[in-house]
Amino acid sequence: MVSDLKATGNFLLNFWFEPIDVIKFDTFRRFFALTFLVYMAAWFRHPYEWLTSEGFHFTAETKQWFHINPFPLLPHWAVPLFALLVFCPTFVVIFSKRYRLAAVILLAVAIYIQNVDNVSSFTLNKFYIVFFALIAVSPQPQLISLPDGSNGVLRQSAWPVRVIQATTLIQYFTAGTCKVLHGNWLQYSDVLWTQVQGLYCTEIAAWLLRILPLEAWSIMMYGALIFELVFPLLFMVKRLRIFGWISTIGFLIIITLTMYQLFYFTFQLLSFLVVFADERFLYSLRKYYARLISQFQS
């Protein structure tokens, strides 16, 4: 009994803190910052609307009781300076190996964005806070010598990658369980059909609503629910991971095409899948990217 508990404890410690290849976290860090760059580029088309008094904002007196008091709005002259604080550190996190200070700055930026206009802040804003903090405190890679005495390899503690993996699994699974326990997805068969209409309706969604029978929307609805509930199984079992990749990418594409402005969230969700990718695939992807850059430079 004691030996079994000790073996389990050693397995868990090794799983969370073993030295692993740096490629997964390094690729995630760059990809995640890229999603922030794209998101901010879209929002900065109208920066004065959401950063200054030009737009509509709740005040401490008009906010909902469970929200903190909104952060102060920026004066007009400070918006270009804030843009520098947004974009310059983002490029550093994407392209530089010395990214920790930049990640701290982006963490502060993400916290400000979340609370200066809380009503229009979405789930992806909260993820930027959490994972820029993770990037900022992640352990430095260490050069580990190989047993044969050859050149060492870079390794880092597994826990940042495990946190991202666990968050992703929990996120999809709880999205499904909330639909079952707190939603009405098991009570009505037309929930998805109603949700793609109205505010989030895209032109593609409108076209599909015209040509697809109601039964097709019911099939897609139950398919999405089953996918979210079995998502952890698809990525925890290596033999099923290829089906997880195919179904998840298809799932995100459908959401992007049928729900207005959800591209930024699905793009962010796609970055989380990097930590489930095969290391050899990530290295081959990096080599392809390096060759592509060299061709542009030549």
Side-chain angles (χ1 to χ4, degrees):
M1 180 69 177
V2 174
S3 60
D4 290 341
L5 290 175
K6 186 177 180 179
T8 302
N10 290 335
F11 170 78
L12 291 175
L13 286 173
N14 188 58
F15 177 77
W16 279 93
F17 300 105
E18 66 178 334
I20 62 172
D21 197 302
V22 300
I23 187 66
K24 287 188 177 182
F25 187 74
D26 187 64
T27 307
F28 165 78
R29 181 249 303 177
R30 298 172 190 271
F31 194 168
F32 186 75
L34 176 63
T35 70
F36 186 69
L37 177 67
V38 173
Y39 179 51
M40 286 293 97
W43 256 239
F44 263 89
R45 290 178 297 174
H46 308 287
Y48 296 97
E49 183 176 340
W50 60 281
L51 291 173
T52 74
S53 58
E54 281 191 14
F56 171 79
H57 297 273
F58 282 101
T59 64
E61 292 74 25
T62 58
K63 71 176 181 67
Q64 293 178 302
W65 65 270
F66 51 84
H67 287 156
I68 68 171
N69 289 340
F71 286 3
L73 296 169
L74 296 178
H76 279 59
W77 61 264
V79 171
L81 298 178
F82 184 73
L84 291 176
L85 280 178
V86 170
F87 292 106
C88 292
T90 304
F91 280 108
V92 172
V93 173
I94 294 174
F95 295 107
S96 176
K97 294 181 180 180
R98 300 178 179 272
Y99 56 83
R100 296 184 189 281
L101 177 59
V104 172
I105 295 173
L106 291 182
L107 170 60
V109 166
I111 292 173
Y112 178 77
I113 290 172
Q114 174 68 35
N115 293 293
V116 72
D117 196 6
N118 195 280
V119 174
S120 62
S121 297
F122 307 105
T123 301
L124 78 169
N125 295 73
K126 299 178 178 66
F127 277 139
Y128 284 125
I129 294 174
V130 171
F131 289 102
F132 279 136
L134 180 68
I135 292 170
V137 302
S138 61
Q140 288 276 10
Q142 301 292 327
L143 196 62
I144 298 178
S145 300
L146 297 177
D148 59 4
S150 59
N151 293 332
V153 291
L154 280 177
R155 292 290 185 266
Q156 69 176 130
S157 177
W159 71 262
V161 168
R162 301 297 182 233
V163 168
I164 302 166
Q165 290 174 333
T167 303
T168 306
L169 299 178
I170 292 170
Q171 179 185 184
Y172 279 92
F173 182 71
T174 54
T177 54
C178 284
K179 292 179 178 66
V180 172
L181 300 177
H182 306 291
N184 51 12
W185 281 53
L186 296 183
Q187 299 174 18
Y188 306 99
S189 61
D190 61 351
V191 177
L192 181 61
W193 178 77
T194 61
Q195 287 182 344
V196 297
Q197 302 179 50
L199 178 64
Y200 289 102
C201 188
T202 63
E203 292 186 8
I204 293 177
W207 175 68
L208 291 174
L209 286 166
R210 289 195 300 269
I211 67 170
L212 292 181
L214 187 60
E215 291 78 11
W217 291 98
S218 298
I219 293 172
M220 287 191 289
M221 183 190 82
Y222 290 121
L225 180 59
I226 293 171
F227 162 74
E228 290 178 337
L229 292 174
V230 303
F231 182 89
L233 187 65
L234 292 175
F235 280 92
M236 290 175 68
V237 179
K238 286 188 176 181
R239 291 184 178 180
L240 299 178
R241 199 163 290 175
I242 182 62
F243 300 105
W245 275 95
I246 295 172
S247 56
T248 304
I249 292 174
F251 178 76
L252 295 179
I253 289 175
I254 292 173
I255 291 177
T256 301
L257 294 177
T258 58
M259 295 196 170
Y260 181 67
Q261 292 282 352
L262 257 67
F263 161 76
Y264 306 104
F265 185 43
T266 56
F267 191 39
Q268 184 194 63
L269 291 178
L270 190 60
S271 71
F272 295 147
L273 296 184
V274 167
V275 294
F276 294 100
D278 184 79
E279 294 169 356
R280 291 170 296 179
F281 170 75
L282 294 178
Y283 274 114
S284 63
L285 198 63
R286 176 173 291 187
K287 289 179 181 178
Y288 173 77
Y289 170 77
R291 288 197 302 268
L292 194 63
I293 294 298
S294 64
Q295 289 176 357
F296 277 107
Q297 292 175 344
S298 59

